[in-house]
Amino acid sequence: KMPQRSGDAAVFCKTLQRLFMLIIKDLRKQKKLSQQQVSEQLGITRVALSHYETGKREPNLRMLQKLSEFYNVSIDYIITGKDFIKSER
């Protein structure tokens, strides 16, 4: 029996979402910043940041870019926990 691809994709998306939540919360805590401090720097409400950290809301591309710049990490790192390294052939 073939696995359902749409189900696999949904599981993969949920896994990435959980990873994203953990990463942005961890980055904030590493800098010893409150949600209020980060949200003010990003130009969003504290509630919006809380929703990103709890998975109640997903950031758009612009917000991923802002988070990346604020924490000085790549968007790849924010999404997956790893930096993308292009392999040379």
Side-chain angles (χ1 to χ4, degrees):
K1 186 175 178 182
M2 295 288 289
Q4 289 184 335
R5 291 194 186 273
S6 61
D8 293 345
V11 170
F12 180 72
C13 287
K14 275 289 187 201
T15 301
L16 279 181
Q17 183 182 30
R18 281 190 215 109
L19 189 56
F20 166 77
M21 294 164 21
L22 294 171
I23 289 167
I24 62 167
K25 187 172 185 177
D26 186 57
L27 286 168
R28 179 176 60 78
K29 290 188 172 220
Q30 283 179 27
K31 291 189 174 266
K32 296 179 172 51
L33 296 171
S34 68
Q35 286 182 338
Q36 187 64 41
Q37 291 170 307
V38 173
S39 63
E40 287 173 3
Q41 291 294 312
L42 296 175
I44 60 175
T45 65
R46 186 203 60 77
V47 172
L49 181 62
S50 173
H51 285 183
Y52 293 144
E53 290 186 359
T54 59
K56 293 179 182 175
R57 183 174 178 179
E58 292 182 9
N60 60 23
L61 187 55
R62 179 68 186 123
M63 182 51 57
L64 286 173
Q65 184 180 15
K66 283 183 171 186
L67 287 162
S68 169
E69 291 169 358
F70 180 77
Y71 289 119
N72 197 31
V73 297
S74 70
I75 292 175
D76 287 317
Y77 182 81
I78 287 176
I79 295 172
T80 67
K82 299 177 183 176
D83 281 315
F84 175 76
I85 300 170
K86 185 177 179 181
S87 62
E88 294 186 29
R89 292 186 173 199

